Amino acid sequence: MSNNKSPKLSRRKFIIGAAAGTTAVGLGLVSLSSCTNKPTWQELPKILGKTIQYDDFSDIYREIWKWDKVVKGTHTRANCISACSWDVYVKDGIAWREEQNAIYEPPRPDVPDMNPRGCQKGACYTSLQLSEARVTHPLKRVGERGGGGWKRISWDEALTEIADGLIDAAVDQGTESIIYDHGTTNAGYGPETAGDFRFASAMKTTTIDSWSGVGDMPMGACQTWGMYNCEGTSDDWFRSDYIVIWVGNPVYTRIPEVHNMHEARYKGAKLVVVAPDLSPSTVHADMWLNIKPETDAALGLACAQVMIEENLIKKDYILEQTDLPFLIRKDTQKFLRQSDLQADGVDNALYFWDEKTTKAVLAPGCEGDGDDGRSLDLGNYKPALSGNFQVKLADGKTVECYTVYDKLVKQLNSEYRPDQAAAITGLNPNLIRRFAREMAAAPRAMIFASWGACKHYHSDLFQRAMILLMSLTGNQGYPGGGVRVAAWWGLDGIDAMMADIGLTAMDQIKLIPKAIRGLTPRDFEDIYTTVSETEANTPLMPFLYVHAGYKEMWDQEHLQDSALPHNIAHYMRESIDNGWVKIHPAEGVQPKAFIFTGCNPLRRWPSSQIARDVFWPKLDLVVSVNFRMSTSSLYADYFLPIAAYYEKVGIKYGQSYVHYLICSDKATEPLGESKSDWECFGLLSKYVQNRAKERNIGPVEGFKGQTHDLTTVYDHHTENGYYNPEEPDDPIKLMDKVFENSPSVAANSGREALDMGAVRIIGPARPSLIYQNFSDYDPEDTHWPHRDFVEKKVAWPTLTGRQQFFIDHPWYIDAGEDMPVHKDPPHFNSKFPLRMNGGHNRWSIHAIWRDHKLLLRLQRGVPALFMNPKDCDPRDIKDGDTVRVHNNNGEFEAMVKVAPATAPGEVIIYHAWEPYQFKNWKGQQEPVEAPWKALHLAGGYGQIHYRMYYGSPGHAPRGAPVDVEKVSSLLEEKA
Amino acid sequence: MNIPTKSTLSAKQRSFAYGLMAATFDYPDKEFTELIHNKQLSDQCKTILCDIYPALKEDIDWTLLTTQDDKETLQVEFSRLFDVGASGPPCPLNGGVYLEERMQTLEEMVRFYNYFGLTAGEDFEELPDHITTQLEFMHFLCHCEDEHQDDPEKANHFQRAQRDFINRHLGKWVPQLNDNVQENQAAPFYLTLIDMVTRYILLEKQYVNNLCGMITVN
């Protein structure tokens, strides 16, 4: 504890010169501020002498414990999917406890309310932020990286040295050689994140786009819909009649939301779980399909076969909302295009067969329909779903066409009948039929597929199959229906997070005509692509491939898709050359500096030993900005301590589960010398600018070879002084701007929002880079995705303008994935007999809380993996034994929990143990090669393209082939 | 050694000793390092503490409280032991970490401080259970005792508080801290420093227990 009199210097009096008889008081503790006439230390003993009565320690407990204040808080950058408002109780400058708020009003009387919200992690954050893992002083590495040698330095020293390092990197290799990583969706909507965004933008750093890099990109949704936001409020789940949890475990991962699924059962809904293991979500299910891992697409397609064969499909919906009636040329096996029919025709104008006119007609809503592909309104057209059609081409030849639907049916009938799928999935064919029939018969069916459904090699195929089911049954776009992964709340004022919105004046002028006739989802996607290309955003996997030493691993033969004619190196080359994938810094430019906040690359990146051993040594400067010492931080050069969640203001990113945006007020001052993110990154920009001036640094190479002036970084960051990040109220000033410009929420200012804690959503917002749910918001209803498409007949942002199941991109055709199919992953025939899976766990949010003692008490207390007795017995493994998990790529040791709930052949290790929690710091990622699909590098085709936060390769950590051997038994260890 | 059973030790001296020990946990900046190098810290500790408990003269190798390790070496060792590490440093200086429930310990700290008219204030750097804070609280209690040396009844309130605070906190966890620094092969300076504080606290524990009578410590 300190006071303004610098206790450190006062204390030294005891050592320097003072004689024993001298009493020096007035150090860290100060007299109670609540005393009317605040006594000095010298006066206090006399005052106490008049009143003090102390017999034993029970006396101190007689006083009623009174809180100094209670504020509304949350965990703004914990990267937890839920958003929960907490009352945070403060006394004597410490946040002691938090209590779930119960302030959420249900939108309508016939759905469950959301009170209270919160989980056991949130309920103990007060203790986590005071735990010994907290770092409270700027640190500088001494000795080797990762050697454990640190010393405290002042903020001034740290910022000066880091600024000089960043300037050196920029001078040497350009500003793109500075790599900034904020993790996956680990970004809030306010000052807790805006500081680092502004810093990166002002510096023109390379920004790692980790969204798909962590395996969180639903690529199947991107391929099918041209977008991936697909969720509503979780009370909308209650309106479903048939809820399928498919590659997810919401009992662990959606703690505040999952009750809606369970409560739906009380009104007659059926809850079905599709999972290899008897997951904790399964125990509440009415039916469990214990599928073989990674065969989910086969199950989905078999269900589609049953639905179509038994005519359980919604034909009107299919004709309007999907590409199934679109025509395919039989000779080329590609869409019939206008360029086929007319000499001056375009490639993105596509056709269906109109039964009324018996002609191929241009499909309204497709990208090249001549009206900007805006509407799905079929007018007088009556598309044929099936049939063979003769079409005359521009060159006079006649070709035969059939429909996507026919292609699908042919494929389903030949490869995915339930008997055939049974051999792949291990499920009884009758069970598959029953599942398909029940799903089709349900008035409203939904599939809850979590982010985990993006982490398998062929996750996109799973998702395409799932979306197919929801389309065939007419569920997508309706309450209680459709595939659900996630969505965010839009917030128009979020632009304030950046100093500029990324569009040039010319870009904005070009938008005016479109804005006048109404921007479509496809227009928005064009805007995002433009914005994305104004800065050095680069997707993580390609970055690691090009710059971080991963190429050697991922080029290996056993990690390739055998259906493709080439190695991934070939596709990478083609994608870079075509400008499809964005690589920053460019090939040949050396990354020089790495600054990361809110993420933990050496814990999270696959085979993180490669990053540590190959990428790290390339870097002259590694800076971690965090409130705790993560594994990655332990390998940094500098550590800048950041205020914990209750020590700063912020806006939690708004996942759409709850009808509110959750804000966090500042409960206490930052501990020790830590600072808010807003101040820290503001200072970093300031120091770069000042040091650049002091060192007479001229223009350096910036984004894409343009020159960049480092002497204006802080001016850009602060909008020429509009903000002053060192001012205590500056973050609220930013929040004011956010809320003043956000008519979709109930608060009009930052302070009002902070006092509310939970700010009601009251209307729709415009789409943004992360928000594209395309649904109106009605405050008196639940919320569900994709209403605009089915209610307003707005065209989907795909080539066809529809939910598109046929993708005739040449790479997709080569891979045999032009239609949804089941494919075995590359590791299918691996010699290693077990498959390692996992998922987010119940006891932490990624690595945060992972080593918290309170939560470790609820588990084994050490990294543990789950194995079936059938796999343990032949290996002589007993519960509690330590085993070595290994393959040719790496290994780690962990305790085994013998669990019959685990599928035979499967090893489950839940998410996010810190490598330092394992022997020799070898973490669970070491054996994980995590190959990824070359197809995800494709571009130049309608919805198949990259932009920031969309459409790039996610790695596939699931299903890693391993073997397990016993190292020691629990009894031996005890002995 | 024979620990006095009456209030024979100077409360003023004891107060000073606690203030002195609190000061020894400062981060070793340039000035602090000089105090180590030029033996001022060692001499002062030896003089003050041994004057109160002479047995410490023999129990501690006072020469090890002087080292010529440079500032950076001391800083790195301080950070390694007390500041930073995977899941926290190996030898945290926060007492609550060693006891059953951290937040309960912190609450009791604040209750103690508040009861005696003190608070951590808004801009604290160290938490209420930090060794510096706790030693400074003992420094304050002894100072209050000294202020009332002419009124034994009043002085006794502060003595009992010392007894409870040592028995329930410093006397409980500082020995564990001592074990930790030994296990982690701390540099001789910090080994000796923690050993010195531990021995002093344990002697104090006996003294205040003799003075006020043992209580049942739960």
Side-chain angles (χ1 to χ4, degrees):
Chain A
M1 296 174 199
S2 69
N3 60 24
N4 293 331
K5 294 173 185 171
S6 181
K8 186 181 281 188
L9 295 178
S10 304
R11 283 183 198 124
R12 299 271 164 88
K13 288 181 190 170
F14 288 101
I15 305 172
I16 308 168
T22 309
T23 301
V25 291
L27 305 171
L29 291 161
V30 295
S31 44
L32 270 171
S33 56
S34 58
C35 292
T36 314
N37 296 311
K38 195 174 172 180
T40 66
W41 264 67
Q42 283 71 24
E43 294 165 341
L44 193 55
K46 291 185 178 62
I47 295 169
L48 283 172
K50 291 177 189 166
T51 56
I52 198 76
Q53 283 291 326
Y54 183 94
D55 291 324
D56 64 51
F57 73 91
S58 63
D59 288 332
I60 65 172
Y61 282 95
R62 295 186 204 288
E63 285 288 321
I64 293 172
W65 181 266
K66 292 177 185 169
W67 305 112
D68 295 338
K69 59 180 176 181
V70 182
V71 303
K72 297 275 189 291
T74 193
H75 314 103
T76 42
R77 226 172 162 179
N79 202 2
C80 116
I81 294 297
S82 301
C84 310
S85 179
W86 297 79
D87 275 339
V88 181
Y89 292 81
V90 180
K91 178 176 169 54
D92 279 42
I94 291 174
W96 293 89
R97 63 185 294 262
E98 50 275 276
E99 185 177 62
Q100 292 164 309
N101 271 317
I103 54 179
Y104 316 98
E105 294 288 338
R108 42 191 275 174
D110 59 347
V111 297
D113 65 53
M114 297 196 171
N115 294 308
R117 296 174 58 82
C119 71
Q120 83 281 40
K121 279 86 71 182
C124 68
Y125 185 69
T126 42
S127 63
L128 181 67
Q129 71 170 5
L130 298 182
S131 83
E132 59 271 34
R134 181 83 188 269
V135 181
T136 56
H137 294 78
L139 298 171
K140 180 181 181 179
R141 172 177 61 82
V142 179
E144 282 180 28
R145 280 182 183 149
W150 295 94
K151 64 175 183 179
R152 293 182 189 175
I153 57 175
S154 68
W155 273 96
D156 181 59
E157 289 171 305
L159 292 165
T160 302
E161 293 178 23
I162 293 168
D164 279 340
L166 297 174
I167 292 168
D168 291 344
V171 168
D172 186 15
Q173 296 277 311
T175 61
E176 286 191 22
S177 71
I178 300 164
I179 315 301
Y180 154 69
D181 188 4
H182 65 76
T184 165
T185 45
N186 198 359
Y189 281 7
E192 73 299 314
T193 308
D196 38 297
F197 277 17
R198 283 169 174 255
F199 161 78
S201 175
M203 286 289 294
K204 299 292 177 205
T205 68
T206 288
T207 296
I208 298 287
D209 174 2
S210 288
W211 199 309
S212 34
V214 297
D216 273 0
M217 181 57 62
M219 285 299 282
C222 295
Q223 293 157 0
T224 312
W225 292 331
M227 52 181 279
Y228 55 87
N229 270 221
C230 54
E231 187 50 282
T233 47
S234 59
D235 52 12
D236 190 64
W237 302 347
F238 181 75
R239 299 176 71 182
S240 184
D241 302 293
Y242 199 76
I243 302 171
V244 183
I245 298 171
W246 199 336
V247 205
N249 186 11
V251 164
Y252 272 19
T253 61
R254 301 290 184 277
I255 289 174
E257 326 294 351
V258 71
H259 67 93
N260 286 295
M261 290 185 182
H262 301 156
E263 285 160 348
R265 295 177 69 214
Y266 289 99
K267 70 166 184 59
K270 193 159 188 175
L271 184 61
V272 179
V273 171
V274 181
D277 59 318
L278 189 86
S279 77
S281 296
T282 311
V283 297
H284 299 279
D286 299 292
M287 186 161 78
W288 173 35
L289 281 76
N290 56 331
I291 191 171
K292 283 184 188 170
E294 305 194 84
T295 63
D296 305 70
L299 171 62
L301 294 170
C303 288
Q305 196 278 335
V306 172
M307 289 174 182
I308 290 172
E309 186 169 79
E310 299 184 8
N311 197 22
L312 307 176
I313 59 177
K314 300 284 193 300
K315 194 174 169 188
D316 289 345
Y317 181 97
I318 294 166
L319 290 174
E320 178 186 89
Q321 294 289 325
T322 76
D323 68 340
L324 295 187
F326 276 50
L327 295 176
I328 299 174
R329 286 175 55 165
K330 282 196 171 173
D331 58 342
T332 60
Q333 287 298 311
K334 290 193 165 188
F335 278 124
L336 178 69
R337 289 176 155 80
Q338 194 182 49
S339 53
D340 297 327
L341 302 178
Q342 302 170 18
D344 58 350
V346 293
D347 279 343
N348 58 0
L350 310 173
Y351 293 80
F352 55 69
W353 189 263
D354 178 31
E355 291 182 335
K356 279 192 174 173
T357 58
T358 61
K359 284 194 305 192
V361 297
L362 188 57
C366 75
E367 201 174 80
D369 73 351
D371 190 29
D372 291 340
R374 298 166 60 198
S375 175
L376 297 177
D377 189 351
L378 294 171
N380 291 324
Y381 293 142
K382 190 172 180 225
L385 188 57
S386 174
N388 287 312
F389 309 103
Q390 303 295 317
V391 178
K392 193 173 179 184
L393 304 182
D395 62 6
K397 281 197 296 189
T398 297
V399 293
E400 193 170 9
C401 295
Y402 68 151
T403 62
V404 176
Y405 175 82
D406 286 335
K407 184 175 172 70
L408 174 72
V409 170
K410 185 180 173 194
Q411 175 189 293
L412 294 178
N413 287 342
S414 63
E415 298 176 46
Y416 297 104
R417 290 185 171 278
D419 290 350
Q420 294 165 301
I424 302 169
T425 60
L427 299 170
N428 187 297
N430 287 333
L431 184 62
I432 296 173
R433 288 190 189 94
R434 178 179 160 191
F435 179 46
R437 289 166 188 157
E438 286 182 356
M439 187 188 296
R444 284 289 163 241
M446 61 168 268
I447 296 173
F448 172 88
S450 74
W451 299 113
C454 312
K455 293 179 172 65
H456 295 269
Y457 188 82
H458 287 306
S459 283
D460 53 353
L461 293 173
F462 301 2
Q463 290 157 7
R464 288 171 73 185
M466 291 175 191
I467 296 171
L468 178 64
L469 295 179
M470 292 293 96
S471 294
L472 292 175
T473 54
N475 274 298
Q476 201 67 41
Y478 290 99
V483 172
R484 306 292 183 98
V485 176
W488 278 257
W489 290 124
L491 195 66
D492 294 2
I494 204 173
D495 290 348
M497 288 178 68
M498 300 296 287
D500 59 60
I501 59 169
L503 288 177
T504 64
M506 188 55 71
D507 291 334
Q508 293 179 52
I509 290 167
K510 280 185 199 164
L511 277 175
I512 291 172
K514 289 183 176 178
I516 290 170
R517 61 113 165 101
L519 292 169
T520 65
R522 202 179 277 120
D523 293 331
F524 280 113
E525 189 55 35
D526 289 342
I527 295 170
Y528 312 145
T529 305
T530 304
V531 169
S532 175
E533 293 185 1
T534 60
E535 300 204 330
N537 299 296
T538 199
L540 178 62
M541 290 299 116
F543 175 86
L544 295 180
Y545 184 93
V546 172
H547 287 299
Y550 282 70
K551 176 176 166 44
E552 288 70 21
M553 178 175 75
W554 284 329
D555 278 354
Q556 292 178 92
E557 189 58 36
H558 71 279
L559 300 182
Q560 310 306 308
D561 180 352
S562 58
L564 282 170
H566 305 291
N567 185 288
I568 197 163
H570 171 91
Y571 297 98
M572 178 63 86
R573 182 75 271 141
E574 192 174 329
S575 186
I576 294 172
D577 291 346
N578 288 337
W580 293 344
V581 66
K582 311 295 178 190
I583 300 294
H584 300 280
E587 294 170 285
V589 178
Q590 183 84 344
K592 302 287 286 182
F594 185 37
I595 181 163
F596 55 93
T597 185
C599 62
N600 192 356
L602 294 182
R603 194 276 303 160
R604 170 166 53 79
W605 289 356
S607 297
S608 51
Q609 66 272 27
I610 297 175
R612 185 191 62 216
D613 298 341
V614 181
F615 180 50
W616 242 246
K618 292 181 177 179
L619 301 164
D620 294 338
L621 177 67
V622 180
V623 182
S624 172
V625 184
N626 205 331
F627 75 87
R628 57 181 278 277
M629 192 50 91
S630 65
T631 299
S632 309
S633 302
L634 288 163
Y635 284 92
D637 302 327
Y638 292 90
F639 183 98
L640 297 179
I642 284 298
Y645 307 135
Y646 299 154
E647 298 169 351
K648 57 193 173 192
V649 299
I651 310 170
K652 171 84 179 173
Y653 66 54
Q655 289 249 339
S656 68
Y657 292 120
V658 59
H659 297 261
Y660 292 81
L661 200 62
I662 309 298
C663 296
S664 192
D665 206 349
K666 181 175 173 177
T668 64
E669 290 299 316
L671 191 59
E673 295 183 9
S674 50
K675 294 180 185 293
S676 71
D677 318 58
W678 178 249
E679 184 178 359
C680 171
F681 281 98
L683 283 170
L684 205 45
S685 288
K686 185 177 187 177
Y687 272 68
V688 168
Q689 175 164 310
N690 290 345
R691 289 296 297 152
K693 284 180 179 172
E694 286 162 16
R695 292 172 55 183
N696 293 317
I697 302 295
V700 297
E701 189 173 322
F703 172 54
K704 284 189 174 174
Q706 299 161 11
T707 57
H708 187 54
D709 183 2
L710 295 178
T711 65
T712 61
V713 165
Y714 187 63
D715 298 337
H716 182 87
H717 185 125
T718 60
E719 296 177 42
N720 293 312
Y722 178 80
Y723 291 108
N724 177 2
E726 293 169 87
E727 283 289 324
D729 284 341
D730 208 42
I732 297 177
K733 192 174 172 181
L734 178 79
M735 287 182 67
D736 285 343
K737 217 169 175 183
V738 170
F739 283 100
E740 283 164 7
N741 293 294
S742 298
S744 63
V745 293
N748 295 306
S749 71
R751 177 37 62 196
E752 190 184 5
L754 291 168
D755 290 343
M756 287 178 173
V759 181
R760 189 71 164 83
I761 307 293
I762 54 174
R766 69 169 152 74
S768 71
L769 282 161
I770 60 162
Y771 163 65
Q772 318 99 37
N773 221 8
F774 296 112
S775 272
D776 277 347
Y777 181 80
D778 179 354
E780 294 183 354
D781 205 347
T782 63
H783 186 59
W784 63 93
H786 304 169
R787 293 176 67 174
D788 288 0
F789 306 116
V790 296
E791 293 177 9
K792 300 177 183 172
K793 303 190 190 308
V794 170
W796 295 74
T798 59
L799 179 71
T800 57
R802 286 147 178 84
Q803 302 180 66
Q804 184 173 334
F805 300 100
F806 177 58
I807 299 169
D808 59 350
H809 188 290
W811 289 12
Y812 281 68
I813 294 171
D814 284 351
E817 296 183 31
D818 51 349
M819 295 292 289
V821 292
H822 161 76
K823 286 171 75 174
D824 291 325
H827 52 252
F828 184 68
N829 288 319
S830 169
K831 67 178 181 182
F832 294 97
L834 302 171
R835 297 290 173 268
M836 190 164 73
N837 288 314
H840 285 67
N841 73 93
R842 180 178 262 161
W843 308 279
S844 77
I845 303 297
H846 305 109
I848 305 172
W849 284 275
R850 212 32 166 145
D851 59 355
H852 190 35
K853 287 175 187 165
L854 282 175
L855 293 172
L856 286 171
R857 287 180 193 172
L858 305 177
Q859 318 161 51
R860 290 289 170 108
V862 293
L865 53 87
F866 296 69
M867 288 178 66
N868 189 282
K870 287 182 180 172
D871 296 317
C872 291
D873 292 345
R875 293 172 173 81
D876 189 29
I877 294 168
K878 305 279 188 302
D879 193 81
D881 287 355
T882 298
V883 296
R884 185 172 78 96
V885 181
H886 64 97
N887 59 21
N888 289 338
N889 194 58
E891 62 179 20
F892 67 87
E893 290 187 10
M895 178 189 278
V896 164
K897 183 170 182 177
V898 178
T902 309
E906 190 178 34
V907 173
I908 294 178
I909 179 160
Y910 283 105
H911 184 54
W913 294 102
E914 286 277 9
Y916 63 63
Q917 293 178 284
F918 294 82
K919 184 181 175 186
N920 298 327
W921 291 21
K922 288 187 171 188
Q924 67 199 78
Q925 291 284 61
E926 297 230 355
V928 178
E929 294 169 296
W932 41 277
K933 293 180 76 161
L935 293 194
H936 296 178
L937 295 167
Y941 176 102
Q943 70 274 27
I944 310 292
H945 66 267
Y946 169 71
R947 66 154 169 90
M948 180 169 51
Y949 306 150
Y950 176 90
S952 61
H955 71 286
R958 302 284 192 269
V962 294
D963 204 349
V964 171
E965 67 181 24
K966 183 173 172 176
V967 172
S968 60
S969 73
L970 186 62
L971 290 175
E972 285 166 5
E973 284 170 13
K974 279 185 176 171
Chain B
M1 74 177 280
N2 291 324
I3 304 295
T5 54
K6 291 182 181 174
S7 182
T8 54
L9 298 180
S10 160
K12 183 175 275 191
Q13 275 184 303
R14 292 175 53 241
S15 173
F16 191 92
Y18 279 112
L20 171 64
M21 287 189 292
T24 62
F25 287 93
D26 273 357
Y27 195 71
D29 57 14
K30 182 167 175 276
E31 292 76 23
F32 191 80
T33 305
E34 280 172 16
L35 295 173
I36 297 171
H37 285 173
N38 65 21
K39 283 183 69 182
Q40 261 184 288
L41 183 138
S42 166
D43 288 349
Q44 183 78 331
C45 286
K46 185 178 178 184
T47 303
I48 301 296
L49 303 190
C50 295
D51 200 32
I52 302 167
Y53 295 109
L56 291 173
K57 223 177 256 179
E58 304 303 322
D59 292 344
I60 292 166
D61 184 351
W62 295 95
T63 62
L64 297 177
L65 264 192
T66 301
T67 174
Q68 293 310 310
D69 287 347
D70 62 19
K71 180 186 74 174
E72 187 170 272
T73 305
L74 286 166
Q75 289 178 335
V76 171
E77 184 64 352
F78 184 98
S79 290
R80 179 182 79 87
L81 295 169
F82 309 128
D83 251 359
V84 193
S87 291
C91 315
L93 293 177
N94 294 88
V97 175
Y98 297 87
L99 304 179
E100 191 64 19
E101 291 290 350
R102 177 87 190 280
M103 298 306 280
Q104 283 179 14
T105 302
L106 283 168
E107 180 189 330
E108 185 157 313
M109 293 296 99
V110 169
R111 284 185 176 276
F112 261 118
Y113 303 155
N114 284 181
Y115 196 82
F116 288 91
L118 298 168
T119 182
E122 274 290 307
D123 57 346
F124 59 89
E125 261 189 36
E126 287 145 11
L127 287 165
D129 64 344
H130 192 270
I131 192 165
T132 303
T133 322
Q134 293 195 356
L135 290 170
E136 285 184 356
F137 182 59
M138 284 299 296
H139 156 73
F140 176 75
L141 290 177
C142 293
H143 172 64
C144 291
E145 179 193 342
D146 178 60
E147 287 282 306
H148 298 285
Q149 59 179 312
D150 298 333
D151 186 343
E153 197 177 322
K154 282 183 183 169
N156 198 237
H157 292 296
F158 298 104
Q159 290 167 343
R160 283 194 290 266
Q162 292 167 42
R163 172 200 64 190
D164 291 352
F165 198 75
I166 287 184
N167 278 285
R168 292 176 66 80
H169 297 288
L170 283 165
K172 258 188 175 178
W173 72 268
V174 171
Q176 294 180 52
L177 169 67
N178 197 27
D179 292 344
N180 280 15
V181 292
Q182 288 177 34
E183 276 175 28
N184 284 279
Q185 301 174 341
F189 172 76
Y190 284 111
L191 270 179
T192 310
L193 180 68
I194 305 292
D195 184 44
M196 174 192 84
V197 174
T198 306
R199 287 174 185 276
Y200 185 85
I201 295 289
L202 293 178
L203 289 168
E204 280 281 283
K205 186 176 166 182
Q206 288 183 56
Y207 172 67
V208 291
N209 284 343
N210 285 348
L211 214 57
C212 310
M214 272 289 285
I215 55 164
T216 304
V217 179
N218 189 357

